[in-house]
Amino acid sequence: MVKICCIGAGYVGGPTMAVIALKCPSIEVAVVDISVPRITAWNSEKLPIYEPGLDDVVKKCRGKNLFFSNEVEKNVAQADIVFVSVNTPTKSSGLGAGKAADLTYWESAARMIADVSKSSKIVVEKSTVPVKTAEAIEKILTHNNKGIEFQILSNPEFLAEGTAIADLFDPDRVLIGGREETPGGLKAIKTLKDVYAHWVPEERIICTNLWSAELSKLAANAFLAQRISSVNSISALCEATGANVTQVSYSVGKDQRIGSKFLSASVGFGGSCFQKDILNLVYICECNGLPEVANYWKQVIKINDYQKNRFVNRLVSSMFNTVSGKKIAILGFSFKKDTGDTRETPAIDVCRGLLSDRAQLIVYDPQVPEEQMMKDLSMPKFDWDQPSGSTTIQIDEETVRKSVKMVHNAYEATKDAHAICILTEWDEFKSLDYKKIFDNMPKPAYVFDGRNVVDVGKLRQIGFIVYSIGKPLDPWLKDMPAVA
Ligand SMILES: NC(=O)C1=CN([C@@H]2O[C@H](COP(=O)(O)OP(=O)(O)OC[C@H]3O[C@@H](n4cnc5c(N)ncnc54)[C@H](O)[C@@H]3O)[C@@H](O)[C@H]2O)C=CC1
Ligand SMILES: O=C(O)[C@H]1O[C@H](OP(=O)(O)OP(=O)(O)OC[C@H]2O[C@@H](n3ccc(=O)[nH]c3=O)[C@H](O)[C@@H]2O)[C@H](O)[C@@H](O)[C@@H]1O
């Protein structure tokens, strides 16, 4: 029986390995992690991450050919294929701080693999890493030469949170990069290909050299994020001219060369990867003497920051230039619907902006725990664009505790609120009883829709003053331009 071990039981390691176990009953899969609470949760009824369809897959395989464990070394030693799916955040100090990927976790995993291995193994880069990382990993693995052969493969993951299981069941492509120039490399590529071939059609499994696979992952995320920043830049122009960004993006996306996906204007993109991976790409460009290319990609993140600031400014300027002491209902805190993940969620920047203007925030999100939100709002925020690595607006813990409250439903959050801010596109926000909500708010009652989920016409009929990203402005807002 082939044995797979995955180091890192996070948003990628957990779902990916669960799907491999489901689709390949003949393979034994162990997912290991240094975090005891995470593994305990994977072995419990309440999994550590919310992902539609995940519970079902885990229930079907756990204890049969899928195991979650803190016994990292033992499981690695026994495996034929070791996936490494540890976190690779942006470095916060030292060389490349604010941009480069922090490979500390990766390096320590690689050293451990080298130390505990007694048989040859295929080591698979599942984490997103800078191009050429495999070269460094090879050096670490072969450093303790005990006559063991290690083959390194790059197999980046393209799943999106909220749709992870559907993406894994039916991926657009699976990418496997390896040392195509050697027989050992080719054999390793074939071994991993055979795993995916249990359920992925062969023509969707792309095999390349190592560097193409590593770079394709960074490039794919940069291209995706670039589409959002492009449409968000157009949303600002729509507001200035009376065009409607939904109509513009529909018309633009109908061109098959452009396509309709990933063109929804929003308060900004979030999530643990887009910003981190683009900064990583920027840093690699700078290190390779390509400042123009670096600046091109930086602009994608600058527009994202601009979009979040613009939203806060629009809100404050519409409410007579101050929200001090005003109650603002925040609907949605996670970085997108169908996940409880708050990493780099635009809600953090928007809430901090409102708190710096001394607003009182009442937050409702169906999946985000209160302590996570409190932690996110009071954590020092690193300014990626400052070479010295300085921090931007800081909100201390006491202000957060005094000025932010989390509640359990949207009606409770909006009761007596001066304004509603929709920051995540949870489906339930589309079908709220907005008439009832309006009746329970002081007037004028505002809705600032950062995800374009509400029916603007209907809400205006009820009596709300509505701001919706990139849509023709409410007459009330017209004379209050948002300045960044
Ligand atoms: N979250 C996402 O949607 C996607 C993430 N990725 C990439 O996948 C990688 C992992 O991301 P996530 O799963 O979101 O991270 P995560 O933070 O949810 O999970 C990483 C896990 O690795 C564990 N870990 C760290 N060092 C370890 C070690 N030495 N031994 C054992 N366990 C260790 C941590 O305790 C943590 O549970 C990152 O490189 C990310 O860029 C790629 C595609 C999608
Ligand atoms: O490397 C990664 O981590 C992953 O990053 C993204 O996945 P994810 O961040 O989970 O979620 P997305 O659906 O891409 O959304 C990212 C952000 O963009 C926003 N978004 C997305 C689409 C859109 O049209 N407009 C828009 O504002 C979302 O609300 C969210 O805040 C990519 O979509 C995945 O392919 C990739 O594997």
Coordinates of all heavy atoms in Angstrom, one line a residue, residues 157-161 217 221 224 228 262-264 266 269-270 273-274 335-336 451, ligand 2:
E157 N -1.2 24.1 -5.2 CA -2.6 23.9 -5.1 C -3.4 25.1 -5.6 O -3.0 26.2 -5.3 CB -2.9 23.6 -3.6 CG -4.4 23.3 -3.4 CD -4.9 22.2 -4.3 OE1 -4.4 21.1 -4.4 OE2 -5.8 22.5 -5.1
F158 N -4.4 24.9 -6.3 CA -5.2 26.0 -6.9 C -6.6 26.1 -6.3 O -7.4 26.9 -6.8 CB -5.3 25.8 -8.4 CG -4.0 25.9 -9.1 CD1 -3.3 24.8 -9.5 CD2 -3.4 27.2 -9.4 CE1 -2.1 24.9 -10.2 CE2 -2.2 27.3 -10.0 CZ -1.5 26.2 -10.4
L159 N -6.9 25.4 -5.3 CA -8.3 25.4 -4.7 C -8.5 26.8 -4.1 O -7.6 27.5 -3.7 CB -8.5 24.4 -3.6 CG -7.7 24.5 -2.3 CD1 -8.3 25.4 -1.3 CD2 -7.6 23.1 -1.6
A160 N -9.8 27.2 -4.1 CA -10.2 28.5 -3.4 C -11.0 28.1 -2.2 O -11.7 27.1 -2.2 CB -11.0 29.4 -4.3
E161 N -10.8 28.8 -1.1 CA -11.6 28.6 0.1 C -13.1 28.8 -0.2 O -13.4 29.7 -1.0 CB -11.1 29.4 1.3 CG -9.7 28.9 1.7 CD -9.1 29.8 2.8 OE1 -9.9 30.3 3.7 OE2 -7.9 29.9 2.8
K217 N 2.2 29.1 -10.2 CA 1.3 29.3 -9.1 C 1.3 30.8 -8.7 O 0.2 31.4 -8.5 CB 1.8 28.4 -7.9 CG 1.0 28.7 -6.6 CD -0.5 28.4 -6.7 CE -1.2 29.0 -5.6 NZ -2.6 28.8 -5.6
N221 N -2.0 33.4 -9.3 CA -2.6 34.3 -8.2 C -2.5 35.8 -8.6 O -3.4 36.5 -8.4 CB -2.0 34.0 -6.9 CG -2.7 32.9 -6.2 OD1 -3.7 32.3 -6.7 ND2 -2.3 32.5 -5.0
L224 N -5.1 36.5 -11.2 CA -6.5 36.6 -10.7 C -6.7 37.9 -9.9 O -7.7 38.6 -10.1 CB -6.7 35.4 -9.7 CG -6.9 34.0 -10.4 CD1 -6.8 32.9 -9.4 CD2 -8.2 34.0 -11.2
I228 N -9.3 41.6 -10.3 CA -10.2 42.3 -9.3 C -9.7 43.7 -9.2 O -10.6 44.6 -9.2 CB -10.1 41.5 -8.0 CG1 -10.5 40.1 -8.1 CG2 -11.0 42.2 -6.9 CD1 -10.2 39.2 -6.9
F262 N -14.4 36.4 -12.1 CA -13.4 37.2 -11.3 C -13.4 38.7 -11.8 O -12.4 39.3 -11.9 CB -12.0 36.6 -11.4 CG -11.6 36.0 -10.2 CD1 -12.2 34.8 -9.7 CD2 -10.6 36.6 -9.4 CE1 -11.9 34.3 -8.5 CE2 -10.3 36.0 -8.1 CZ -10.9 34.8 -7.7
L263 N -14.6 39.1 -12.1 CA -14.8 40.6 -12.5 C -15.8 41.2 -11.6 O -16.4 42.2 -12.1 CB -15.1 40.7 -14.0 CG -14.0 40.5 -15.0 CD1 -14.6 40.7 -16.4 CD2 -12.9 41.5 -14.8
S264 N -16.0 40.7 -10.4 CA -17.0 41.4 -9.5 C -16.3 42.4 -8.7 O -15.3 42.1 -8.0 CB -17.6 40.4 -8.6 OG -18.2 39.4 -9.3
S266 N -15.6 44.9 -5.7 CA -15.8 44.7 -4.3 C -15.1 45.7 -3.5 O -14.3 46.5 -4.0 CB -15.3 43.3 -3.9 OG -13.9 43.2 -4.0
F269 N -10.0 42.7 -2.5 CA -9.8 41.3 -2.3 C -9.0 41.0 -0.9 O -8.3 41.9 -0.5 CB -9.0 40.6 -3.4 CG -7.6 41.1 -3.7 CD1 -6.6 40.8 -2.9 CD2 -7.4 42.0 -4.8 CE1 -5.3 41.3 -3.1 CE2 -6.1 42.4 -5.1 CZ -5.1 42.1 -4.2
G270 N -9.3 39.9 -0.3 CA -8.6 39.5 0.9 C -8.2 38.1 0.8 O -8.0 37.5 -0.3
C273 N -3.6 34.6 0.6 CA -2.6 34.3 -0.5 C -2.4 35.4 -1.5 O -1.2 35.7 -1.9 CB -3.0 33.0 -1.2 SG -2.9 31.6 -0.2
F274 N -3.4 36.1 -2.0 CA -3.2 37.1 -3.1 C -2.1 38.1 -2.7 O -1.1 38.2 -3.5 CB -4.5 37.8 -3.5 CG -5.4 36.9 -4.4 CD1 -6.7 37.4 -4.7 CD2 -5.0 35.8 -4.9 CE1 -7.5 36.6 -5.5 CE2 -5.8 35.0 -5.7 CZ -7.1 35.4 -6.0
F335 N -13.1 36.8 4.7 CA -12.7 37.4 3.5 C -13.5 37.1 2.3 O -13.4 37.8 1.3 CB -11.2 37.1 3.3 CG -10.9 35.8 2.6 CD1 -10.7 35.7 1.2 CD2 -10.8 34.6 3.3 CE1 -10.4 34.5 0.6 CE2 -10.6 33.4 2.7 CZ -10.3 33.4 1.4
K336 N -14.4 36.1 2.4 CA -15.4 35.8 1.4 C -16.4 34.9 2.0 O -16.2 34.4 3.1 CB -14.7 35.1 0.1 CG -14.1 33.8 0.5 CD -13.3 33.2 -0.7 CE -14.2 32.5 -1.6 NZ -13.4 31.6 -2.5
R451 N -20.1 44.6 -1.3 CA -20.1 43.4 -2.1 C -21.1 43.3 -3.2 O -21.4 42.3 -3.8 CB -20.2 42.2 -1.2 CG -19.1 42.0 -0.2 CD -17.8 41.6 -0.9 NE -16.8 41.3 0.1 CZ -15.7 40.7 -0.2 NH1 -15.4 40.3 -1.4 NH2 -14.7 40.5 0.7
Ligands
LIG2 O1 -3.4 30.4 -3.5 C1 -4.5 30.5 -2.9 O2 -4.6 30.6 -1.7 C2 -5.8 30.6 -3.7 O3 -6.1 32.0 -3.8 C3 -7.4 32.2 -4.3 O4 -8.4 31.6 -3.6 P1 -9.0 32.3 -2.2 O5 -8.1 33.4 -1.8 O6 -9.3 31.2 -1.3 O7 -10.4 32.9 -2.7 P2 -10.9 33.7 -4.0 O8 -12.2 33.2 -4.4 O9 -9.8 33.8 -5.0 O10 -11.2 35.2 -3.4 C4 -10.1 36.0 -3.0 C5 -10.7 37.4 -2.7 O11 -11.0 38.1 -3.9 C6 -12.4 38.6 -3.7 N1 -13.0 38.6 -5.1 C7 -13.0 37.5 -5.8 C8 -13.6 37.5 -7.1 C9 -14.1 38.7 -7.6 O12 -14.7 38.8 -8.7 N2 -14.1 39.8 -6.8 C10 -13.5 39.8 -5.6 O13 -13.5 40.8 -4.9 C11 -13.0 37.6 -2.8 O14 -14.1 38.2 -2.2 C12 -11.9 37.4 -1.8 O15 -11.8 38.4 -0.8 C13 -7.4 31.6 -5.8 O16 -8.7 31.8 -6.3 C14 -7.1 30.1 -5.7 O17 -7.0 29.6 -7.0 C15 -5.7 30.0 -5.0 O18 -5.4 28.6 -4.9

